[in-house]
């Protein structure tokens, strides 16, 4: 046969594609003309606070996200870097993702991989971690697709070698060394002196089912193997050793390489045999297969740029018989080992053999779906009994009849390699649909957002699908759970929000989004603390000085007042009901005054500020004197308000 024996290895090639992301600009850029008291609680406010030396994980998250969604990846990367450096234990894994994505956009692939490695330690459900998980538990994964084939030996096997079946008219073309007198002593090498030829048999005919050679025009004293006939039946593509003018042609290492050739059918004879233009004396090209429309030729090569020992490529075939430029199928398909013997079914499923993807031993057959010329990212082992602990390869399949053929050197065969016929009893599961539902709301008012857009974006930052929320703010999506996706909610006038959906087992998921307004229009009596999404401003027990951890929240108000010089506010301070009423009133007044004094000390004019303490007179729940409440319920009443006066 036409393959080389290698030790069974499982290899993961992690390549970060070079992408220039075209993310939409959802946040308004600088130089915007604001309406009076129209606040942007994003870059301008947070950056000004940060420039003053006041920092918190929440501030860096918001600032980094603002840059990220504005596609300002340089600033986003710098912000996320600081976030991860200073607050590693206070952030979730999504910020590692966004940092890595930002680094990739800047072309810093090595740093991006290091960040992704840290992410994989935080969660076992990201793409790389899931790959490791599948690798370690790959036998369980293979079981899910096992038991779908009924297999029997090919009627035309001999004690010699038979493999590489391909469809031709009412039967097959296949490769064998049956007429060379060789009992398949060679093992998977094209350097031996034994010869393979191409044969034809009408498997569907009872009258004419004899095995015959294709003819001297195709077969030579070298190896001929792995063939495919064009859709119009006029051209035969096949693999042959590098042979010219009656002589072997070797590369600089003395190896006889493989080449692809094309023969033309004229008067019933295959003739006018020519090399394909992308052949070379220094690397191999072999194992042709066509797309269903016949416009793309798939083949195998170890040409420069390959990921492993052999990779699968494709090339456009034009109507005039010329070819485009060969294209590597990429590291979703190809690994550092061998990917070989491609076949594309009528439903655009690419089947191939590999010893780089997790398998049962030797070469296994795998399948992946081709959609709009792209691969869906899922490479599935087709399972037992088609795959075994030996080499299983040269798979072909008719989706109309659910029947096909493949070759194997498994125990129990007649020769070194034998062809087997099979019937598929259940389809290969290449799609995993996960239901994702949720509601999109305004973060401040909690009102549902009707007509909000919810998108699914893959890890290459390309949009997969989109929907909008209904009259109740709800959405429903179905995503591919075999790969990681970002679910992103968008609405005009709001800052986008997204959640990452890792590779999963397909269980339904609920993701609710609470969007912050891009511009928050305020007027007399509105609470600036609510509009700027301030965290609670805490004071130490029985004290009223501004604590260090609360300074950053007050600084956000100061930044807003500096941006809008006509803005005047009143600081209202409240306590919970615990303690004496008169004392709480006094303490709240002191805290309001302390807040005002702090803001004045930072440059805000005293005539733009007022302060008043209300003690426990304006509780926002029922936690009055004598009512048992939890600490969390009491906490809601200990609040500071920054009410707009003018």
């Amino acid at each position: 046969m036409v393959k080389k024996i290698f030790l069974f290895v499982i290899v993961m090639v992690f390549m970060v594609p070079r992408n220039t992301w075209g993310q939409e600009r959802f946040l308004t850029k600088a130089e915007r003309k604001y309406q009076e008291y129209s606040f942007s609680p994003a870059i301008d406010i947070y950056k000004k606070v940060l420039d003053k030396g006041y920092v918190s994980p929440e501030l860096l998250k918001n600032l980094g996200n603002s840059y990220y969604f504005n596609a300002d990846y340089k600033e986003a990367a710098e912000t996320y870097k600081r976030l991860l450096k200073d607050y590693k234990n206070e952030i979730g894994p999504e910020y590692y993702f966004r940092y890595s994505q930002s680094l990739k956009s800047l072309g810093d692939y090595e740093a991006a991989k290091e960040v992704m490695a840290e992410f994989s330690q935080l969660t076992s459900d990201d793409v790389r971690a899931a790959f490791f998980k599948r690798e370690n538990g790959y036998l369980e994964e293979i079981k899910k697709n096992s038991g779908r084939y009924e297999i029997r030996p090919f009627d035309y096997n001999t004690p010699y070698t038979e493999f590489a079946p391909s469809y031709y008219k009412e039967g097959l073309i296949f490769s064998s060394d049956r007429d060379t007198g060789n009992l398949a002593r060679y093992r998977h090498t094209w350097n031996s002196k034994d010869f393979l030829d191409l044969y034809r048999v009408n498997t569907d005919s009872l009258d004419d089912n004899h095995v015959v050679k294709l003819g001297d025009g195709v077969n030579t004293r070298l190896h001929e193997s792995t063939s495919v006939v064009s859709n119009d039946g006029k051209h035969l593509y096949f693999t042959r050793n590098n042979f010219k003018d009656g002589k072997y042609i070797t590369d600089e290492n003395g190896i006889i390489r493989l080449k692809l050739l094309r023969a033309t059918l004229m008067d019933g004879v295959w003739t006018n045999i020519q090399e394909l233009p992308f052949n070379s004396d220094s690397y191999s090209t072999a194992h042709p297969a066509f797309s269903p429309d016949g416009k793309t030729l798939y083949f195998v090569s170890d040409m420069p740029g390959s990921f492993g020992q052999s990779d699968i490529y494709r090339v456009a075939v034009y109507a005039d018989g010329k070819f485009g430029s060969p294209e590597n199928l990429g590291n979703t398909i190809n690994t550092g080992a061998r990917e070989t013997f491609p076949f594309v079914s009528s439903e655009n499923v690419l089947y191939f053999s590999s010893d780089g993807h997790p398998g049962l031993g030797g070469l296994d057959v795998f399948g992946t779906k081709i959609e709009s010329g792209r691969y869906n990212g899922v490479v599935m082992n087709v399972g037992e009994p088609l795959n075994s602990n030996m080499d299983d390869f040269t798979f072909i399949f008719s989706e109309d009849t659910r029947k096909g053929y493949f070759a194997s050197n498994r125990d129990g065969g007649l020769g070194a390699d034998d062809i087997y016929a099979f019937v598929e009893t259940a389809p290969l599961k290449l799609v995993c649909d996960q239901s994702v539902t949720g509601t999109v709301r305004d973060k401040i008012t909690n009102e549902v957002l009707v007509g909000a857009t919810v998108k699914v974006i893959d890890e290459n930052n390309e949009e997969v699908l989109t929907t909008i929320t209904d009259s109740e703010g709800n959405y429903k999506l179905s995503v591919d759970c075999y790969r990681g996706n970002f679910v992103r909610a968008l609405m005009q006038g709001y800052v986008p929000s997204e959640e990452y959906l890792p590779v999963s087992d397909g269980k339904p998921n609920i993701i609710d989004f609470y969007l912050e307004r891009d511009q928050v229009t305020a007027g007399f009596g509105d609470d600036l603390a609510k509009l700027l999404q301030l965290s609670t401003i805490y004071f130490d027990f029985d004290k009223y000085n501004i604590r260090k951890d609360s300074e950053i929240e007050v600084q956000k108000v100061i930044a807003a007042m500096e941006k809008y010089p006509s803005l005047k506010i009143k600081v209202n301070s409240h306590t919970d009901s615990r303690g004496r009423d008169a004392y709480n009133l006094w303490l709240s007044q002191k805290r309001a005054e302390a807040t005002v004094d702090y803001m004045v000390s930072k440059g805000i004019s005293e005539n733009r500020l007022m302060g008043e303490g209300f003690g426990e007179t304006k509780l926002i729940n029922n936690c009055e004197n004598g009512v048992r409440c939890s600490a969390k319920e009491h906490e809601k009443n200990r609040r500071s308000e920054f009410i707009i006066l003018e």
Side-chain angles (χ1 to χ4, degrees):
M1 52 193 233
V2 242
K3 41 195 180 58
K4 298 179 181 179
I5 287 184
F6 293 94
L7 292 176
F8 173 71
V9 291
I10 299 173
V11 181
M12 186 182 83
V13 180
F14 184 80
M15 298 286 291
V16 182
R18 186 183 230 356
N19 290 316
T20 302
W21 295 347
Q23 291 214 31
E24 299 172 347
R25 270 61 173 172
F26 298 111
L27 299 179
T28 308
K29 299 281 186 166
E31 306 296 335
R32 170 183 256 177
K33 184 176 182 181
Y34 292 100
Q35 297 179 356
E36 190 174 11
Y37 301 148
S38 179
F39 299 98
S40 173
I43 294 175
D44 50 353
I45 297 294
Y46 292 121
K47 191 174 186 303
K48 192 165 187 178
V49 173
L50 189 64
D51 290 342
K52 289 185 175 184
Y54 297 93
V55 64
S56 73
E58 194 66 29
L59 185 146
L60 291 176
K61 289 177 187 177
N62 290 338
L63 183 60
N65 291 343
S66 296
Y67 285 130
Y68 177 80
F69 288 116
N70 254 331
D72 190 346
Y73 299 116
K74 182 177 183 298
E75 294 294 339
E78 292 178 3
T79 306
Y80 288 141
K81 180 179 180 180
R82 184 172 179 181
L83 178 65
L84 269 62
K85 177 177 179 291
D86 296 339
Y87 301 100
K88 184 180 287 286
N89 298 325
E90 300 181 49
I91 60 173
E94 66 272 18
Y95 293 94
Y96 287 80
F97 261 110
R98 292 176 191 169
Y99 183 31
S100 177
Q101 297 283 61
S102 299
L103 290 169
K104 282 190 274 185
S105 291
L106 301 175
D108 195 349
Y109 302 120
E110 289 303 316
K113 282 195 276 189
E114 291 177 6
V115 175
M116 286 298 292
E118 290 187 77
F119 173 85
S120 67
Q121 295 176 1
L122 293 175
T123 174
S124 61
D125 293 324
D126 78 299
V127 172
R128 272 178 68 184
F131 187 94
F132 291 140
K133 182 179 178 181
R134 288 202 303 271
E135 181 178 304
N136 292 331
Y138 68 91
L139 291 177
E140 290 299 317
E141 290 291 327
I142 292 173
K143 279 185 180 179
K144 294 178 182 179
N145 272 318
S146 293
R148 300 179 301 104
Y149 298 100
E150 296 176 356
I151 294 174
R152 64 174 178 83
F154 185 51
D155 292 336
Y156 306 95
N157 285 333
T158 69
Y160 302 97
T161 287
E162 282 81 30
F163 74 107
S166 66
Y167 292 115
Y168 179 60
K169 294 184 176 180
E170 296 84 15
L172 299 174
I173 295 175
F174 64 93
S175 186
S176 176
D177 64 351
R178 61 179 62 201
D179 288 346
T180 67
N182 163 49
L183 193 58
R185 292 187 303 274
Y186 75 95
R187 279 294 180 188
H188 310 186
T189 173
W190 279 77
N191 294 329
S192 65
K193 301 298 183 182
D194 307 305
F195 306 128
L196 291 161
D197 284 334
L198 291 175
Y199 294 79
R200 175 176 56 84
V201 61
N202 294 333
T203 55
D204 296 336
S205 173
L206 296 177
D207 298 325
D208 181 19
N209 59 357
H210 298 292
V211 176
V212 296
K213 280 189 177 183
L214 280 189
D216 293 337
V218 173
N219 291 316
T220 66
R221 62 188 183 89
L222 292 181
H223 295 298
E224 283 78 31
S225 179
T226 53
S227 64
V228 65
V229 176
S230 60
N231 289 1
D232 60 11
K234 295 180 179 179
H235 295 100
L236 170 72
Y237 293 76
F238 63 98
T239 304
R240 177 188 285 170
N241 277 128
N242 193 2
F243 184 74
K244 188 174 182 180
D245 298 330
K247 296 181 180 180
Y248 296 107
I249 306 297
T250 63
D251 66 9
E252 59 184 9
N253 297 315
I255 298 173
I256 304 173
R257 294 290 184 171
L258 308 180
K259 288 193 173 184
L260 285 171
L261 294 96
R262 178 173 62 186
T264 302
L265 187 64
M266 299 180 66
D267 299 326
V269 178
W270 295 111
T271 186
N272 190 30
I273 299 174
Q274 297 178 339
E275 287 191 19
L276 300 194
F278 44 85
N279 285 339
S280 173
D281 293 338
S282 60
Y283 57 79
S284 291
T285 55
H287 317 325
F290 271 113
S291 61
D293 62 9
K295 295 180 180 180
T296 302
L297 179 70
Y298 291 80
F299 66 96
V300 175
S301 180
D302 59 352
M303 66 176 62
S306 297
F307 291 100
Q309 297 162 4
S310 62
D311 284 9
I312 300 175
Y313 288 78
R314 65 182 177 186
V315 64
V317 182
Y318 301 123
D320 61 1
K322 294 182 179 179
F323 299 87
S325 298
E327 175 189 358
N328 190 297
L329 296 196
N331 65 322
T332 296
I333 307 298
N334 295 313
T335 70
R338 289 183 306 163
E339 279 66 47
T340 187
F341 304 118
F343 173 82
V344 184
S345 72
S346 61
E347 295 181 3
N348 272 311
V349 176
L350 169 65
Y351 293 93
F352 62 96
S353 289
S354 171
D355 58 4
H357 294 276
L360 296 172
L363 291 169
D364 273 19
V365 177
F366 296 83
T368 186
K369 182 71 173 177
I370 307 172
E371 297 174 326
S372 301
R374 298 172 55 212
Y375 307 96
N376 68 358
V378 181
V379 175
M380 298 299 295
N381 189 300
V382 302
E384 297 178 297
L386 196 144
N387 283 327
S388 69
N389 63 348
M390 300 297 286
D391 289 320
D392 308 292
F393 54 101
T394 57
F395 175 101
I396 63 173
F397 177 53
S398 169
E399 276 152 342
D400 292 333
T401 64
R402 314 310 295 181
K403 296 179 180 179
Y405 300 88
F406 73 103
S408 179
N409 64 345
R410 65 186 60 192
D411 293 339
L414 286 177
D417 300 315
D418 291 283
I419 296 174
Y420 293 83
F422 69 84
V423 176
E424 185 186 68
T425 58
L428 176 65
K429 187 178 180 183
L430 288 169
V431 177
C432 175
D433 292 325
Q434 180 180 24
S435 174
V436 182
T437 58
T439 305
V440 182
R441 296 177 180 273
D442 185 299
K443 188 173 182 179
I444 296 175
T445 66
N446 206 41
E447 294 178 355
V448 298
L449 297 180
V450 179
T453 299
V454 182
K455 295 184 177 183
V456 177
I457 298 170
D458 65 20
E459 290 184 318
N460 292 325
N461 217 47
E462 296 184 10
E463 184 177 318
V464 177
L465 56 92
T466 184
T467 187
I468 60 173
T469 55
D470 60 20
S471 59
E472 296 180 346
N474 298 322
Y475 72 91
K476 184 175 182 179
L477 296 165
S478 181
V479 303
D480 183 354
C481 65
Y482 282 145
R483 58 182 175 184
N485 290 288
F486 295 92
V487 181
R488 182 176 298 171
L490 318 163
M491 184 78 175
Q492 184 70 33
Y494 288 84
V495 178
S497 178
E498 74 177 14
E499 293 285 339
Y500 179 71
L501 273 180
V503 175
S504 73
D505 58 6
K507 292 179 181 177
N509 203 321
I510 298 175
I511 301 177
D512 293 325
F513 291 99
Y514 296 86
L515 302 186
E516 294 184 23
R517 298 179 190 178
D518 184 12
Q519 297 184 55
V520 182
T521 301
F524 177 80
D526 286 336
D527 184 0
L528 195 59
K530 205 176 275 188
L531 300 177
L532 294 180
Q533 297 289 302
L534 299 187
S535 301
T536 303
I537 297 174
Y538 290 108
F539 296 85
D540 290 329
F541 178 71
D542 203 27
K543 293 184 179 180
Y544 46 82
N545 58 293
I546 301 292
R547 290 189 348 190
K548 285 292 183 184
D549 58 354
S550 293
E551 278 187 301
I552 189 168
E553 304 305 316
V554 183
Q555 280 291 330
K556 295 174 187 177
V557 179
I558 293 173
M561 295 190 74
E562 290 175 342
K563 183 173 182 179
Y564 304 98
S566 62
L567 181 64
K568 295 182 179 180
I569 64 172
K570 179 186 176 186
V571 180
N572 292 344
S573 182
H574 304 269
T575 69
D576 59 40
S577 63
R578 292 176 293 184
R580 291 182 293 109
D581 293 358
Y583 179 78
N584 284 340
L585 186 63
W586 174 84
L587 182 61
S588 65
Q589 179 63 36
K590 299 300 288 183
R591 288 176 173 174
E593 292 173 359
T595 303
V596 170
D597 291 343
Y598 176 87
M599 296 175 71
V600 170
S601 73
K602 299 301 179 182
I604 302 300
S605 175
E606 188 173 358
N607 61 15
R608 298 175 62 193
L609 299 167
M610 291 180 59
E612 184 177 358
F614 291 89
E616 57 186 270
T617 63
K618 293 189 176 184
L619 303 176
I620 60 175
N621 54 29
N622 296 321
C623 296
E624 301 173 353
N625 290 333
V627 177
R628 289 178 64 92
C629 287
S630 66
K632 200 164 192 177
E633 290 172 315
H634 280 302
E635 182 182 293
K636 293 178 181 178
N637 291 311
R638 299 197 310 273
R639 66 197 189 279
S640 293
E641 299 169 331
F642 295 85
I643 306 300
I644 296 174
L645 297 177
E646 184 180 327

Short mmCIF file of all heavy atoms in Angstrom, two decimals, residues 512-534:
data_model
loop_
_atom_site.label_atom_id
_atom_site.label_comp_id
_atom_site.label_asym_id
_atom_site.label_seq_id
_atom_site.Cartn_x
_atom_site.Cartn_y
_atom_site.Cartn_z
N ASP A 512 -28.48 35.85 30.42
CA ASP A 512 -29.19 37.13 30.47
C ASP A 512 -28.18 38.26 30.38
O ASP A 512 -27.11 38.21 31.00
CB ASP A 512 -29.99 37.25 31.77
CG ASP A 512 -31.14 36.25 31.84
OD1 ASP A 512 -31.72 35.96 30.79
OD2 ASP A 512 -31.44 35.77 32.95
N PHE A 513 -28.52 39.28 29.61
CA PHE A 513 -27.63 40.43 29.43
C PHE A 513 -28.26 41.67 30.06
O PHE A 513 -29.46 41.91 29.93
CB PHE A 513 -27.38 40.69 27.94
CG PHE A 513 -26.54 39.65 27.27
CD1 PHE A 513 -27.13 38.64 26.52
CD2 PHE A 513 -25.16 39.66 27.39
CE1 PHE A 513 -26.37 37.68 25.90
CE2 PHE A 513 -24.38 38.70 26.77
CZ PHE A 513 -24.99 37.71 26.03
N TYR A 514 -27.42 42.46 30.74
CA TYR A 514 -27.83 43.74 31.31
C TYR A 514 -26.91 44.80 30.72
O TYR A 514 -25.74 44.90 31.09
CB TYR A 514 -27.74 43.71 32.83
CG TYR A 514 -28.70 42.71 33.46
CD1 TYR A 514 -28.34 41.37 33.61
CD2 TYR A 514 -29.96 43.12 33.87
CE1 TYR A 514 -29.23 40.46 34.15
CE2 TYR A 514 -30.86 42.21 34.43
CZ TYR A 514 -30.48 40.88 34.56
OH TYR A 514 -31.37 39.98 35.10
N LEU A 515 -27.43 45.56 29.76
CA LEU A 515 -26.60 46.49 29.00
C LEU A 515 -26.55 47.86 29.66
O LEU A 515 -27.58 48.39 30.10
CB LEU A 515 -27.14 46.63 27.58
CG LEU A 515 -27.23 45.34 26.74
CD1 LEU A 515 -27.62 45.68 25.31
CD2 LEU A 515 -25.92 44.57 26.77
N GLU A 516 -25.34 48.42 29.69
CA GLU A 516 -25.17 49.79 30.17
C GLU A 516 -25.38 50.76 29.02
O GLU A 516 -25.02 50.49 27.87
CB GLU A 516 -23.74 49.97 30.72
CG GLU A 516 -23.44 49.17 31.95
CD GLU A 516 -22.06 49.49 32.50
OE1 GLU A 516 -21.56 50.59 32.19
OE2 GLU A 516 -21.50 48.64 33.21
N ARG A 517 -25.97 51.89 29.34
CA ARG A 517 -26.22 52.88 28.30
C ARG A 517 -24.91 53.54 27.86
O ARG A 517 -24.06 53.84 28.68
CB ARG A 517 -27.19 53.95 28.82
CG ARG A 517 -28.55 53.40 29.19
CD ARG A 517 -29.45 54.49 29.72
NE ARG A 517 -30.67 53.92 30.29
CZ ARG A 517 -31.63 54.63 30.85
NH1 ARG A 517 -31.51 55.95 30.95
NH2 ARG A 517 -32.70 54.04 31.33
N ASP A 518 -24.82 53.73 26.56
CA ASP A 518 -23.66 54.41 26.01
C ASP A 518 -23.69 55.88 26.43
O ASP A 518 -22.69 56.46 26.84
CB ASP A 518 -23.67 54.28 24.49
CG ASP A 518 -22.45 54.88 23.85
OD1 ASP A 518 -21.49 55.18 24.58
OD2 ASP A 518 -22.45 55.04 22.62
N GLN A 519 -24.87 56.49 26.34
CA GLN A 519 -25.07 57.84 26.83
C GLN A 519 -26.23 57.80 27.81
O GLN A 519 -27.27 57.22 27.53
CB GLN A 519 -25.44 58.81 25.70
CG GLN A 519 -24.36 58.98 24.66
CD GLN A 519 -24.78 60.01 23.64
OE1 GLN A 519 -25.12 61.13 24.00
NE2 GLN A 519 -24.77 59.62 22.38
N VAL A 520 -26.01 58.37 28.98
CA VAL A 520 -27.06 58.42 29.98
C VAL A 520 -27.49 59.87 30.13
O VAL A 520 -26.75 60.69 30.66
CB VAL A 520 -26.58 57.85 31.33
CG1 VAL A 520 -27.72 57.86 32.34
CG2 VAL A 520 -26.06 56.44 31.13
N THR A 521 -28.67 60.21 29.65
CA THR A 521 -29.16 61.57 29.73
C THR A 521 -29.80 61.79 31.10
O THR A 521 -30.68 61.04 31.51
CB THR A 521 -30.19 61.84 28.62
OG1 THR A 521 -29.56 61.61 27.37
CG2 THR A 521 -30.68 63.27 28.68
N ALA A 522 -29.33 62.81 31.79
CA ALA A 522 -29.80 63.06 33.15
C ALA A 522 -30.38 64.46 33.26
O ALA A 522 -30.10 65.34 32.44
CB ALA A 522 -28.65 62.89 34.13
N GLY A 523 -31.14 64.67 34.29
CA GLY A 523 -31.73 65.98 34.54
C GLY A 523 -31.89 66.22 36.02
O GLY A 523 -31.40 65.46 36.86
N PHE A 524 -32.59 67.27 36.36
CA PHE A 524 -32.78 67.65 37.76
C PHE A 524 -33.39 66.50 38.55
O PHE A 524 -34.36 65.87 38.14
CB PHE A 524 -33.71 68.88 37.84
CG PHE A 524 -34.03 69.30 39.25
CD1 PHE A 524 -33.12 70.04 39.98
CD2 PHE A 524 -35.23 68.92 39.84
CE1 PHE A 524 -33.41 70.42 41.29
CE2 PHE A 524 -35.52 69.29 41.14
CZ PHE A 524 -34.61 70.05 41.87
N GLY A 525 -32.76 66.20 39.70
CA GLY A 525 -33.27 65.17 40.59
C GLY A 525 -32.75 63.78 40.33
O GLY A 525 -32.99 62.87 41.14
N ASP A 526 -32.04 63.57 39.22
CA ASP A 526 -31.49 62.24 38.94
C ASP A 526 -30.28 61.98 39.83
O ASP A 526 -29.55 62.89 40.21
CB ASP A 526 -31.08 62.12 37.48
CG ASP A 526 -32.28 62.00 36.56
OD1 ASP A 526 -33.34 61.57 37.04
OD2 ASP A 526 -32.15 62.35 35.37
N ASP A 527 -30.07 60.69 40.13
CA ASP A 527 -28.95 60.28 40.97
C ASP A 527 -27.76 59.93 40.08
O ASP A 527 -27.78 58.95 39.34
CB ASP A 527 -29.36 59.07 41.82
CG ASP A 527 -28.27 58.63 42.79
OD1 ASP A 527 -27.20 59.27 42.82
OD2 ASP A 527 -28.49 57.64 43.51
N LEU A 528 -26.72 60.76 40.17
CA LEU A 528 -25.52 60.55 39.36
C LEU A 528 -24.83 59.24 39.71
O LEU A 528 -24.21 58.59 38.87
CB LEU A 528 -24.57 61.73 39.55
CG LEU A 528 -23.42 61.87 38.55
CD1 LEU A 528 -23.95 62.01 37.14
CD2 LEU A 528 -22.55 63.06 38.91
N ALA A 529 -24.93 58.80 40.94
CA ALA A 529 -24.32 57.54 41.37
C ALA A 529 -24.90 56.37 40.60
O ALA A 529 -24.20 55.44 40.19
CB ALA A 529 -24.52 57.33 42.87
N LYS A 530 -26.22 56.43 40.37
CA LYS A 530 -26.87 55.36 39.64
C LYS A 530 -26.50 55.42 38.16
O LYS A 530 -26.25 54.40 37.51
CB LYS A 530 -28.39 55.50 39.82
CG LYS A 530 -29.16 54.20 39.66
CD LYS A 530 -30.63 54.40 39.94
CE LYS A 530 -30.91 54.28 41.42
NZ LYS A 530 -32.37 54.29 41.69
N LEU A 531 -26.46 56.64 37.62
CA LEU A 531 -26.15 56.80 36.20
C LEU A 531 -24.73 56.37 35.87
O LEU A 531 -24.46 55.84 34.80
CB LEU A 531 -26.36 58.26 35.79
CG LEU A 531 -27.79 58.80 35.98
CD1 LEU A 531 -27.84 60.27 35.61
CD2 LEU A 531 -28.78 58.01 35.14
N LEU A 532 -23.80 56.60 36.80
CA LEU A 532 -22.41 56.21 36.58
C LEU A 532 -22.09 54.82 37.10
O LEU A 532 -20.95 54.38 37.08
CB LEU A 532 -21.46 57.23 37.24
CG LEU A 532 -21.46 58.63 36.65
CD1 LEU A 532 -20.48 59.52 37.40
CD2 LEU A 532 -21.12 58.61 35.18
N GLN A 533 -23.12 54.13 37.57
CA GLN A 533 -22.96 52.76 38.07
C GLN A 533 -21.90 52.69 39.17
O GLN A 533 -21.02 51.83 39.17
CB GLN A 533 -22.58 51.81 36.93
CG GLN A 533 -23.63 51.69 35.85
CD GLN A 533 -24.86 50.93 36.31
OE1 GLN A 533 -24.77 49.79 36.73
NE2 GLN A 533 -26.01 51.58 36.25
N LEU A 534 -21.99 53.63 40.13
CA LEU A 534 -21.02 53.65 41.22
C LEU A 534 -21.25 52.48 42.17
O LEU A 534 -22.38 52.09 42.44
CB LEU A 534 -21.12 54.96 42.02
CG LEU A 534 -20.86 56.27 41.27
CD1 LEU A 534 -20.84 57.43 42.27
CD2 LEU A 534 -19.55 56.21 40.51
#
